[in-house]
Amino acid sequence: MRQTSSKRKAIEFSPYLVGTMRLGKWGENFNTKQWLEFIEKSLALGLKDFDHADIYGDYTTEADFGKVLKENPHLRNEMQITTKCGIRMPAEKRPKNKMKTYDSGDKYILQSVENSLRNLHTDYIDVLLLHRPDFLMNPNEIAETFEKLRDDGKVRFFGVSNFTTSQFEMINSVFPLITHQIEASISHLNPFEDGTLDQLLVKNIRPTVWSPLGGGNLKQKENYKLNQELDKVFGILCEKYEVNTAQLMLLFLKKHPSGIIPVLGTSKPERLEEALEIDSKNMEKEDWYALYSATKGEELP
């Protein structure tokens, strides 16, 4: 397997990434004025990182965001843009996609980046992620493609999303990745148990995390006893740390030594402010395990 001589460079993320998935066609359907107001408020709060994917809004959200940058080009220097590619999804703007598939081929990645650059009205992307693992991916081909994009000045940094530990290592062994975006929350504990966070901690790579609030689905259906225990623990800890439920869930993630950076999918600036309020707080280890055990519905083995 080829090995790159590239060394991993650093990138400084905001305390949170501002997710865009629900701001366009798939959610709030912001107009350009609303996009501008939301972006400016995020930047004013010190949140400079915006998380995109080419497929969001059926391949329309990047362009919606890009209209703001076209009309206000000075904002580009104040932000960092993460976007993703690698999912081929049937949509009106992609009539050739007959079914949902994954594609990490060089031609597809290069064309996806060109599309994103054009839609976002920018000359470069700060972080490009492969959105899902392509089971037919060739790590050497991916590394060569990443090198070309980096050398051409079109992408600064690279990572992956939703990969297994072995898939991450396969790519990282031939090209240095700077992050892995994963799903993690109190209601999705897999990364704490399957080696995903262990791997990133050892490699000093900070994970970004989507759905950090579990999509609002904390309680389990038809398990009254478990839900009672969750309510009890959340009530005690929310009072102790003087936070609401969402803030407590973010504190839980931020306790992990890997340096988790949550992706906030809200359209409400006040929710961004609330998230920033917890940065001075630190959850005690016993309380972390109280939440962990309550969610699992059992004591530690």
Side-chain angles (χ1 to χ4, degrees), residues 179-228:
T179 193
H180 186 184
Q181 187 169 124
I182 59 175
E183 180 184 8
S185 67
I186 289 178
S187 54
H188 187 79
L189 297 171
N190 299 38
F192 296 94
E193 302 171 346
D194 65 11
T196 298
L197 289 173
D198 300 341
Q199 179 185 50
L200 298 173
L201 183 57
V202 167
K203 294 180 179 297
N204 197 30
I205 297 174
R206 296 187 70 182
T208 56
V209 163
W210 61 273
S211 195
L213 305 182
N217 299 318
L218 180 62
K219 294 185 177 181
Q220 298 187 18
K221 295 180 179 179
E222 300 178 359
N223 195 330
Y224 180 73
K225 184 177 180 180
L226 174 60
N227 291 336
Q228 271 193 319

Side-chain angles (χ1 to χ4, degrees), residues 139-152:
N140 294 323
E141 181 181 359
I142 290 171
E144 290 171 0
T145 306
F146 283 180
E147 285 183 1
K148 176 175 174 53
L149 288 167
R150 181 199 60 201
D151 294 346
D152 289 346

